[in-house]
Amino acid sequence: MTAPEHVPVLLDRIVELFTPVFADRDGVLVDATVGLGGHSDALLEAFPRLRLVALDRDPAALEKSAERLARHGDRVDLVHTVYDGLPEALESVGLRKADGILFDLGVSSMQLDRAERGFAYSKDSPLDMRMDPTTGFTAADVLNTYTPGELIRILRDYGEERFAQRIVKAVVAARAKEPFTNSGRLVELLYDAVPAATRRTGGHPAKRTFQALRIEVNGELEVLRRAMPAALGALKTGARIVVESYQSLEDRLVKQALAELAKSRTPEGLPVELPGHGPEFKLLTRGAEKAGEEEIERNPRAASVRLRAAERIGEPR
C-alpha cells in the first residue's frame, strides 16, 4: 500500500464525474499521471469492469503504484512515459482510444516528501527536481549555467515572481563564488533577496522560484501544451476528461484547450448548426472547481487545486 500521507485530491468528485461513463460497463481509463495510484485504485474499485492504462514519468512512482494496484490483476497496464506520449502508450497496450482520461498535474506527494528529490524548499537537499531522475538536467544545472536573461524569464514566466531581476542578480553573484548544489543555500539567498514586507504577506519567499525551476527542469508547460490535444484526440464520443491543476499557468492552458473545442464554428446568426461545425466537447464544470474547506483541512495540498472536466459530444474536426 502507499504511504499513509498520500491523500488523493477531490477523489469523490472524480469518481462522480466518471460514473456515467464506467458504471456497469466495460471501458478504458488512462490515468496520465498515476503517481502513487490513489485515484486509480479508487476508480478500479468503483468500476469493476474498468481497464486502466497508468502512465508516469517517474520510475519510483510506477513501482509504488504497481504495488498498490496489484490487487486489480490484469485490469492494469503501467507505462513509463511522459503524458504527452499518451497516444503511443495506448498503442503499446493494443488500444487506440479511451473512454476516460485523468490528469492530476504538478508534483506528487512522494516527490515532495522525499527530501533527496529536491522539490521541497522546507528541507535542505540536492537541487534536482527531475520528475524522472534517470534523465535530463537538474535545477542546479539551471541555476549554474543559464544566462541571467534566461533565469529572469523563467522566474517571471513560470514563477510569476515580481522580484526576478533582484533574485537573479543575487544568484549570479553567488554562483560565481561557488556553484549551487543544495536547496538550503538557495532558500537563504531568497530570504535575503525578497523584501521583508513581501515575506510577511506573500507566502514563503522560495515558493515561486522553486515552482519556476521545477517547471523548467521538467518542461511541464511545453509537455502540457502537447498533451492536451493528444489526450482530447484520443477520446471516443461520450468519453470524459478530468484535469486537476495546481497553479494558474497549468489551469490556463487546460481552460483554453477545452474552451476552444467546446465552441461552435457555425457563423453567428444562422438558425441551425452547420454539419461538422458543432462543438466537439461539452464542459462539465462551471469554471474551475475547488476543494471545500473540510477537504483542505484534511489535506492541505488540496488548497490550490482547480478541477475542469469535459465530455466529447462530436467527432474530431
Side-chain angles (χ1 to χ4, degrees), residues 207-255:
K207 179 180 179 180
R208 291 175 294 278
T209 293
F210 271 61
Q211 174 181 298
L213 289 171
R214 191 199 81 217
I215 290 173
E216 174 66 14
V217 166
N218 296 290
E220 291 176 47
L221 296 181
E222 289 79 3
V223 169
L224 186 57
R225 282 191 187 96
R226 297 190 297 268
M228 284 303 295
L232 295 169
L235 288 170
K236 303 174 184 176
T237 301
R240 291 186 168 193
I241 184 169
V242 178
V243 185
E244 292 184 302
S245 306
Y246 295 85
Q247 42 100 345
S248 60
L249 301 172
E250 288 175 338
D251 182 54
R252 196 175 304 141
L253 285 176
V254 173
K255 176 184 177 181

Side-chain angles (χ1 to χ4, degrees), residues 64-135:
K64 289 289 185 183
S65 58
E67 293 173 10
R68 179 171 193 160
L69 302 176
R71 67 191 183 95
H72 301 291
D74 61 5
R75 296 167 62 202
V76 178
D77 292 289
L78 295 153
V79 184
H80 180 215
T81 187
V82 185
Y83 44 79
D84 61 344
L86 188 153
E88 293 78 13
L90 278 171
E91 192 175 323
S92 74
V93 296
L95 299 168
R96 288 187 61 252
K97 296 284 186 176
D99 302 283
I101 296 174
L102 172 65
F103 285 91
D104 185 13
L105 299 170
V107 64
S108 75
S109 299
M110 182 187 70
Q111 290 161 344
L112 281 171
D113 293 338
R114 291 189 174 181
E116 69 273 13
R117 301 296 295 272
F119 287 98
Y121 43 78
S122 58
K123 307 164 187 173
D124 187 29
S125 57
L127 275 168
D128 192 315
M129 299 194 193
R130 290 174 296 170
M131 291 180 175
D132 181 351
T134 68
T135 186

